[in-house]
Amino acid sequence: MNELAAYIQNNLLEVTGTLVGLVYLWLEYKASIWLWVAGIIMPTIYIFVYYKAGLYADFGINVYYLIAAVYGLALWKRGTAKKKELPITFMPKNVYLPLIVVFIVALLLIAWILIRFTDSNVPWWDSFTTALSIVGIWMLAKKYIEQWFTWIAVDAVSCGLYIYKELYFTSVLYGLYTVIAVLGYFKWKRLM
């Protein structure tokens, strides 16, 4: 018990980020606009956690998440011309190829930056989750149901990555994210 208390004390930001992440996850599952408020708080915390852990791409993606949360909040509040709230929809077929290209370019660019300019010991895994998250958060802001498939992949890989980097609370959070992402897909499908 003393070890757990010491870990929590030494990793208070990570624990706080995990708790905010659980709230975020529940709000995303419910398709609540309030997820974007948690989506502003959580990356602010994780910017510091990931930098300290040497996960530089994850550090960078949290800056992006912060900006995307403001964008997502505005988009969800605005809705569409027909509905006050943005509806959950399927992603148009013509969006798939550009998103794949964005993912590949982001993956290669981030990996190159991490290999060339940092001491990261997991540049490809860090780049993979970051590049896929760039695509996923944009899909979430557009309220495309397929965003859940992106998060299933990101969350499962991240869970293993965070165990490796000894971010145990964050690893548990991402393990839960993986399970909830599967359930979230079916919940959103019913909400459609």
Side-chain angles (χ1 to χ4, degrees), residues 7 12-13 24-25 43 67 70 76 89 126 140 169 174 190:
Y7 182 87
L12 197 54
L13 269 180
Y24 174 89
L25 182 61
I67 295 165
V70 173
W76 280 33
T89 61
D126 200 4
L140 174 59
F169 279 89
Y174 277 79
R190 284 191 308 274

Side-chain angles (χ1 to χ4, degrees), residues 3-22:
E3 288 180 29
L4 178 60
Y7 182 87
I8 291 171
Q9 185 177 8
N10 292 331
N11 297 285
L12 197 54
L13 269 180
E14 181 195 356
V15 173
T16 304
T18 300
L19 294 174
V20 174
L22 290 170

Side-chain angles (χ1 to χ4, degrees), residues 31-33 75-80 83-87 143:
S32 169
I33 196 168
L75 199 62
W76 280 33
K77 276 182 83 169
R78 188 181 67 204
T80 65
K83 293 187 174 187
K84 183 171 169 79
E85 185 180 308
L86 188 67
K143 230 172 181 178

Side-chain angles (χ1 to χ4, degrees), residues 8-182:
I8 291 171
Q9 185 177 8
N10 292 331
N11 297 285
L12 197 54
L13 269 180
E14 181 195 356
V15 173
T16 304
T18 300
L19 294 174
V20 174
L22 290 170
V23 171
Y24 174 89
L25 182 61
W26 179 72
L27 293 168
E28 183 180 8
Y29 175 77
K30 304 283 273 172
S32 169
I33 196 168
W34 290 101
L35 77 93
W36 296 112
V37 175
I40 290 168
I41 297 167
M42 187 172 67
T44 303
I45 293 169
Y46 271 105
I47 285 169
F48 298 100
V49 171
Y50 291 140
Y51 185 80
K52 182 181 174 191
L55 290 166
Y56 304 114
D58 280 347
F59 162 82
I61 193 67
N62 275 276
V63 173
Y64 171 74
Y65 283 161
L66 193 57
I67 295 165
V70 173
Y71 171 73
L73 179 62
L75 199 62
W76 280 33
K77 276 182 83 169
R78 188 181 67 204
T80 65
K82 295 177 188 171
K83 293 187 174 187
K84 183 171 169 79
E85 185 180 308
L86 188 67
I88 299 168
T89 61
F90 289 107
M91 191 165 65
K93 301 289 183 229
N94 64 342
V95 174
Y96 280 92
L97 183 59
L99 280 183
I100 291 169
V101 170
V102 166
F103 167 72
I104 292 170
V105 169
L107 172 73
L108 295 174
L109 179 64
I110 294 165
W112 178 78
I113 290 168
L114 292 179
I115 291 166
R116 179 120 166 113
F117 299 106
T118 75
D119 61 350
S120 176
N121 63 347
V122 288
W124 287 103
W125 290 113
D126 200 4
S127 300
F128 173 80
T129 58
T130 301
L132 200 53
S133 294
I134 289 169
V135 170
I137 199 76
W138 181 82
M139 292 168 67
L140 174 59
K142 292 291 195 175
K143 230 172 181 178
Y144 294 142
I145 194 166
E146 294 87 351
Q147 60 98 13
W148 287 108
F149 299 126
T150 303
W151 295 122
I152 291 167
V154 168
D155 298 339
V157 171
S158 293
C159 182
L161 181 61
Y162 298 143
I163 289 171
Y164 177 75
K165 294 301 270 186
E166 298 179 357
L167 296 171
Y168 300 116
F169 279 89
T170 304
S171 177
V172 169
L173 176 65
Y174 277 79
L176 287 171
Y177 276 5
T178 306
V179 172
I180 298 300
V182 172

